[in-house]
Amino acid sequence: MHISEDRISHIAHKIYDKLYNDDLADFPDERRALEAIKGSIEGFFSIMEQVDQAVRAKLSSYSQAKVPGSREWEILYQKFYAEELAKRKW
């Protein structure tokens, strides 16, 4: 899943605002805080993309091809996705 820079920035601002407005964190430098939040979001989506690619590769390696979107494919996808996350300690 690719997420645009604008969407990441929007999400980062929402997180920053929520943390600040609810008095959960004080940030001495707003720009640096937003950069850190954006970096975390980008890292998260990068890992989720890697997991998705690994799961799809595993599914496509089956001798009997599973049809994407079918119930069987979805069940296997969820199972393998959970396994990949566990391997990566997520």
Side-chain angles (χ1 to χ4, degrees):
M1 165 195 253
H2 176 73
I3 188 162
S4 72
E5 178 63 34
D6 287 341
R7 178 62 68 178
I8 290 173
S9 180
H10 176 75
I11 294 168
H13 278 85
K14 290 287 188 184
I15 292 170
Y16 176 89
D17 291 343
K18 183 69 174 167
L19 290 171
Y20 186 78
N21 291 337
D22 288 356
D23 252 350
L24 298 173
D26 288 322
F27 303 103
D29 186 352
E30 180 179 351
R31 185 185 58 78
R32 287 183 61 203
L34 285 169
E35 285 176 8
I37 294 168
K38 286 178 190 178
S40 295
I41 293 168
E42 289 168 350
F44 171 80
F45 281 110
S46 174
I47 299 234
M48 294 301 111
E49 181 67 27
Q50 292 171 12
V51 169
D52 179 68
Q53 288 174 355
V55 169
R56 289 178 184 274
K58 193 172 191 177
L59 282 169
S60 68
S61 72
Y62 271 46
S63 58
Q64 240 182 2
K66 309 296 182 214
V67 177
S70 68
R71 179 151 171 73
E72 184 179 16
W73 188 90
E74 290 292 334
I75 290 169
L76 288 172
Y77 181 89
Q78 293 300 321
K79 177 185 175 208
F80 295 151
Y81 198 88
E83 289 173 1
E84 278 295 317
L85 288 177
K87 272 194 233 178
R88 296 165 194 255
K89 309 256 193 253
W90 272 75

